[in-house]
Amino acid sequence: GASSFDLIDSWAFDMEVGSIWNVGNGTPLDYHIVPAIFSLRTPAHWVWNLDDGATFAVRARMNALMEAVVEGPENHYFGFSASPSFEYWLPSKKTYFHFAIGGGAGVIDSQGVYGGQGQDFTWNWYMHGGVRHFVTERMAVSLGVYYQHNSNRGATDPNPGIDSVGPMLGLSWHF
């Protein structure tokens, strides 16, 4: 039956993990990174109820990034990022598609290897999209695709950025 809990007007905490691989030509090195992303999403700032019963919502998203560099000269990356979260809720309100695009900053343990990151401080930019489906009143599982770019924006020469993409799995709790 219908719930009195409003998922769109609630806070959400997401835990997602994935596997991303270098797809760009910014570095000659092969990279394989395992990101763990912890996100806090605000209640919706803007909501549009569509004629077919679906809902489009926009909320803010703040992310803490903890990433293991499985292949590549570095070992780990810690950072933060933020963005809007665009959500298209199906009429059942049990499933929604999401998309976020934003950026932030962080630190990587640069190793001084040619093709690796030239300094510890980096900027990040990302796109993340997928689908979430509620398995209980307040908990959802998710499947998505994550793209991330890490770079020091020309602070070192050369400036070998990492462009990586891959699948993500996650859990979300609305409160």
Side-chain angles (χ1 to χ4, degrees):
S3 168
S4 61
F5 185 74
D6 187 346
L7 295 166
I8 296 171
D9 196 34
S10 66
W11 288 86
F13 176 72
D14 311 320
M15 296 186 317
E16 296 169 290
V17 66
S19 195
I20 58 178
W21 292 269
N22 181 40
V23 294
N25 57 9
T27 174
L29 302 176
D30 287 330
Y31 272 90
H32 177 199
I33 300 169
V34 175
I37 303 171
F38 301 90
S39 304
L40 182 64
R41 289 180 290 129
T42 65
H45 295 294
W46 296 286
V47 176
W48 292 270
N49 293 310
L50 307 176
D51 289 341
D52 63 356
T55 303
F56 183 78
V58 180
R59 43 174 112 216
R61 172 181 164 145
M62 290 81 45
N63 311 299
L65 311 172
M66 290 184 268
E67 303 180 0
V69 180
V70 177
E71 186 174 345
E74 298 85 12
N75 299 295
H76 52 76
Y77 178 74
F78 299 106
F80 72 92
S81 60
S83 71
S85 178
F86 304 99
E87 301 170 355
Y88 177 80
W89 291 72
L90 298 179
S92 70
K93 303 297 184 267
K94 287 189 163 290
T95 303
Y96 65 97
F97 297 92
H98 62 90
F99 179 75
I101 184 169
V107 292
I108 195 165
D109 61 328
S110 61
Q111 302 294 314
V113 173
Y114 180 80
Q117 295 301 284
Q119 67 179 27
D120 290 352
F121 179 79
T122 66
W123 298 100
N124 64 66
W125 182 80
Y126 80 97
M127 289 189 294
H128 185 198
V131 62
R132 289 190 179 99
H133 178 74
F134 284 85
V135 294
T136 70
E137 182 184 35
R138 296 183 187 211
M139 186 179 75
V141 294
S142 65
L143 176 63
V145 175
Y146 182 66
Y147 165 84
Q148 178 178 269
H149 172 78
N150 284 28
S151 167
N152 61 38
R153 297 195 69 219
T156 61
D157 186 21
N159 174 32
I162 305 169
D163 292 294
S164 48
V165 68
M168 298 291 284
L169 294 171
L171 289 173
S172 298
W173 288 273
H174 284 248
F175 57 96

